Amino acid sequence: MRIILLSKVPRWYSFRADRVIRRLARDGHEILAVVAERASTSASLREWLWKFGPRLFVEKSAQKLLRLAGLKRAPQGGAGKRPESLTRQIATPPVYFVDSHNSEKCVELVYSLRPDALVLRGCGILKRPILATAWLGAINPHYATLPTYRGVDVTEWAALHGDPVAVSVHFVTEHVDTGAVIVSREILVEPGDTTGRLRDKSAAVAVDLLAEALNKLEAGVAEHTAPPDSAGRQYFAMHPRLRQLADLRLKGL
């Protein structure tokens, strides 16, 4: 399928080692472009630091730099040669920056590329014109069970309440996390996990679920029956003290 990724990142952010792009390209999908809404560096760093916590934030930053460096190295022969599946270069799609995904300029750009589907990667609420640019619709990985946990910081809210942590890939509508769920999977909570670690696990699972959801879309077997807009509960930004309590609950304290 012909796919456009919608994201929100600073201009310096690189998609060269992006896991979703590599996985979907490996599955035979054509990534037409990444259309990114501009985000300030300070706001992005605060968001990533909040999501993962200081230790994991540093680890992930180092890993990303190593992945980018690895893509620049030529494969080495001999016993240390990496498998072809790991060294094969995948072309990075063009990246377009816009002021808003809901702007007329963005809608015109995306429409001109004629995508079959849109894949969201950390966007705000999208309006009908941009959602209508792809005939199969837009899908989004949500880090919680739907419709039980709609909104933001839902990994943390589920952990605080002692409920299963999950990833759900769903159709995107103009409302908050109310579209039909295509695929969903619970995340294994292990000793030593924090809410940041669970988010990291969720990000890895989301790659597989996005691929599965797109396969269902392509085959015409994706679920389109959505719960009522009033189903579940919408959650908002969690206070840091409650985040600490969620982590303590994960530790069994």
Side-chain angles (χ1 to χ4, degrees):
M1 287 196 297
R2 293 162 55 86
I3 296 164
I4 289 179
L5 269 63
L6 301 184
S7 188
K8 184 175 182 179
V9 293
R11 291 189 70 91
W12 51 262
Y13 186 88
S14 174
F15 288 91
R16 292 188 63 237
D18 186 84
R19 290 183 294 183
V20 171
I21 290 175
R22 294 177 64 82
R23 172 58 188 276
L24 299 186
R26 190 189 75 190
D27 285 0
H29 300 295
E30 181 183 1
I31 313 301
L32 300 173
V34 176
V35 179
E37 188 173 301
R38 296 183 186 89
S40 72
T41 296
S42 59
S44 297
L45 292 177
R46 284 196 302 270
E47 179 183 358
W48 298 334
L49 186 59
W50 164 258
K51 286 181 177 180
F52 299 114
R55 182 174 179 178
L56 186 55
F57 172 76
V58 172
E59 289 179 10
K60 291 185 68 63
S61 298
Q63 290 169 4
K64 185 172 180 64
L65 290 173
L66 290 173
R67 286 198 300 269
L68 289 172
L71 289 177
K72 296 177 183 178
R73 300 193 193 102
Q76 301 295 318
K81 185 176 180 179
R82 301 173 70 193
E84 187 276 335
S85 61
L86 295 179
T87 59
R88 180 170 59 92
Q89 296 294 310
I90 294 176
T92 304
V95 179
Y96 301 95
F97 279 92
V98 296
D99 292 327
S100 169
H101 285 128
N102 293 309
S103 68
E104 183 176 346
K105 179 181 178 180
C106 180
V107 173
E108 291 177 353
L109 169 63
V110 174
Y111 183 77
S112 70
L113 296 173
R114 298 292 194 272
D116 296 320
L118 306 178
V119 173
L120 274 59
R121 299 290 309 282
C123 301
I125 296 177
L126 302 182
K127 297 181 180 179
R128 186 171 300 177
I130 188 66
L131 294 175
T133 56
W135 71 278
L136 285 174
I139 63 173
N140 174 63
H142 181 76
Y143 292 2
T145 301
L146 287 174
T148 307
Y149 284 92
R150 298 186 294 112
V152 299
D153 290 350
V154 284
T155 299
E156 292 81 1
W157 285 113
L160 179 66
H161 294 156
D163 288 336
V165 176
V167 176
S168 303
V169 176
H170 64 98
F171 284 107
V172 180
T173 69
E174 293 181 272
H175 304 289
V176 178
D177 303 326
T178 58
V181 174
I182 305 171
V183 289
S184 183
R185 185 185 303 170
E186 286 191 14
I187 304 299
L188 177 64
V189 179
E190 299 174 292
D193 277 344
T194 62
T195 51
R197 289 287 177 189
L198 292 177
R199 276 188 173 272
D200 194 34
K201 288 183 177 182
S202 296
V205 169
V207 176
D208 290 334
L209 291 189
L210 282 170
E212 184 179 341
L214 286 171
N215 290 337
K216 286 179 175 287
L217 273 177
E218 192 170 32
V221 295
E223 176 63 56
H224 283 77
T225 303
D229 291 350
S230 59
R233 179 178 179 183
Q234 182 176 347
Y235 288 82
F236 297 88
M238 177 179 275
H239 190 278
R241 177 54 182 157
L242 291 178
R243 168 77 175 266
Q244 293 174 359
L245 292 176
D247 283 329
L248 288 174
R249 177 147 198 169
L250 289 171
K251 293 179 181 179
L253 300 179

